[in-house]
Amino acid sequence: MIESGVSHIEKIRHVLVAGGTHGNEYTGAFLARHWLSDDSSLKRDSFSTHVLFSNQEAFKICKRYVDRDLNRSFNPSETVSNNRALELSRARDIEQWLLSACGGGMPGAIFDLHSTTANMGKSLVLTNREPFNLLLLAYLRQRFADVNAYLWEEPNSQPGFLNSLSSKGFAIEIGPVANGVLHAECVVNTAALVHACLDFIEEWNSGINSPLPSRVPLYCFRRHVDYPRGSDNLPSAMVHPELQNRDFQALQPGEPVFLGFDGSVTLWEGDTVWPVFINEAAYYEKGIAFTVTDKLDVEISGLKSKLS
Ligand SMILES: [Zn+2]
């Protein structure tokens, strides 16, 4: 249990809730649209919540993006060939808007709402191991036992996520749901997670009193696995039916991972891993059939001492 009176932590004054960063992920897009007209459920006493509908141009055409992935465009050091891309100027506009909305700095925490075609359930995508994020993960698991967190921490890589504008916060990614579809249960659960995140920040600002689990699982990036591909670069095999929908479940050596159109089966070679984003529609173009992770057991009880 985390003790109260954590007065030395930095209070959070501005929080960003973003949706529609991918225009065909309706859960976040419609929640952002709703909250832009009525943000009463997002108001808390100790901080301001700002709502962003990130990529309305992509939403209008029900595509993930217009020119390039907005959620890979918040990386100032990136060398960009197509620098007239709509999403790059959109990323710059969003940063400017945030600076003025948040008193000259970036938000203290960002929650970016996505959806996934993979069977990820109620998932969080973290990009770091900040005590804030791990404590919030514990807080959410106390309330939603089926929340899982994937730590997308690729060595030597800065993906340029919207979330990278703040070290606190993460993407909330609930599925499976098809792109361009409103799935009420996914929308309701996403909103519930957002509300709980805001409740946590209210506690963070005044001292965390809620009981927390002593340990939480964290699924840490090991590597992406691409489809077998032919000379035309298209997949020459599919995710095997026995792997489909088994996100966050152990994959043992010798278990099937791909099924060829000729019936051939590819087996998993290597040690036990925990796959995530299995057969995510948006990742065919990114060369990812699924991502394998290591399951880490994170101790929450001692985290308070690491707060700064
Ligand atoms: Zn997305």
Side-chain angles (χ1 to χ4, degrees):
M1 178 169 168
I2 302 298
E3 295 164 31
S4 60
V6 281
S7 56
H8 56 292
I9 64 171
E10 194 177 328
K11 292 187 179 179
I12 291 172
R13 295 303 181 202
H14 295 274
V15 173
L16 174 67
V17 175
T21 303
H22 292 135
N24 58 0
E25 296 179 5
Y26 273 10
T27 301
F30 276 84
L31 280 174
R33 204 167 156 270
H34 167 64
W35 286 328
L36 281 170
S37 65
D38 176 7
D39 65 351
S40 52
S41 72
L42 306 183
K43 288 188 184 305
R44 299 293 183 277
D45 290 338
S46 67
F47 59 90
S48 303
T49 305
H50 308 276
V51 177
L52 172 69
F53 190 160
S54 310
N55 197 341
Q56 298 194 35
E57 295 305 313
F59 174 75
K60 282 179 199 159
I61 56 172
C62 195
K63 299 270 194 206
R64 184 175 175 87
Y65 52 81
V66 177
D67 292 327
R68 54 170 282 156
D69 195 332
L70 177 60
N71 208 31
R72 304 292 185 278
S73 298
F74 290 89
N75 190 349
S77 63
E78 188 180 11
T79 305
V80 177
S81 51
N82 180 13
N83 61 10
R84 292 170 62 88
L86 178 141
E87 278 79 9
L88 279 180
S89 65
R90 182 69 184 139
R92 284 192 293 270
D93 290 347
I94 288 171
E95 288 187 48
Q96 288 304 313
W97 172 73
L98 285 171
L99 283 171
S100 67
C102 303
M106 284 293 140
I110 296 176
F111 301 99
D112 192 17
L113 312 185
H114 291 258
S115 62
T116 171
T117 64
N119 187 32
M120 295 284 278
K122 297 188 190 81
S123 70
L124 318 175
V125 181
L126 280 65
T127 55
N128 62 52
R129 303 174 194 221
E130 277 254 343
F132 171 92
N133 290 332
L134 298 176
L135 287 165
L136 175 49
L137 164 61
Y139 181 91
L140 293 175
R141 276 184 66 91
Q142 186 75 22
R143 282 151 188 77
F144 310 88
D146 53 350
V147 163
N148 280 306
Y150 159 44
L151 177 65
W152 191 331
E153 202 177 39
E154 281 188 62
N156 308 317
S157 168
Q158 290 183 302
F161 298 135
L162 171 59
N163 269 108
S164 66
L165 298 179
S166 173
S167 62
K168 297 183 177 70
F170 36 70
I172 296 174
E173 185 120 25
I174 295 186
V177 57
N179 292 323
V181 167
L182 278 167
H183 188 303
E185 191 181 347
C186 294
V187 175
V188 168
N189 286 332
T190 301
L193 285 175
V194 169
H195 293 145
C197 288
L198 301 178
D199 292 341
F200 173 81
I201 295 176
E202 194 79 333
E203 282 202 33
W204 172 267
N205 283 343
S206 61
I208 301 166
N209 287 309
S210 292
L212 300 178
S214 57
R215 312 185 78 84
V216 293
L218 183 65
Y219 296 84
C220 305
F221 175 89
R222 190 195 288 190
R223 68 182 173 90
H224 299 305
V225 178
D226 193 10
Y227 296 89
R229 290 183 188 263
S231 54
D232 56 3
N233 205 35
L234 290 172
S236 55
M238 305 165 277
V239 165
H240 194 279
E242 288 184 29
L243 178 61
Q244 180 70 44
N245 295 335
R246 282 182 50 200
D247 302 74
F248 294 111
Q249 295 177 38
L251 172 65
Q252 310 287 354
E255 291 190 315
V257 287
F258 293 115
L259 177 65
F261 298 95
D262 58 359
S264 60
V265 174
T266 307
L267 304 177
W268 180 245
E269 295 175 2
D271 53 358
T272 303
V273 290
W274 284 261
V276 297
F277 284 120
I278 299 168
N279 206 5
E280 161 58 45
Y283 293 170
Y284 279 68
E285 69 173 26
K286 297 189 194 299
I288 304 172
F290 55 94
T291 299
V292 295
T293 72
D294 294 301
K295 186 179 182 182
L296 199 74
D297 195 27
V298 177
E299 194 193 329
I300 296 300
S301 317
L303 269 184
K304 187 193 160 201
S305 59
K306 294 183 189 169
L307 293 175
S308 56

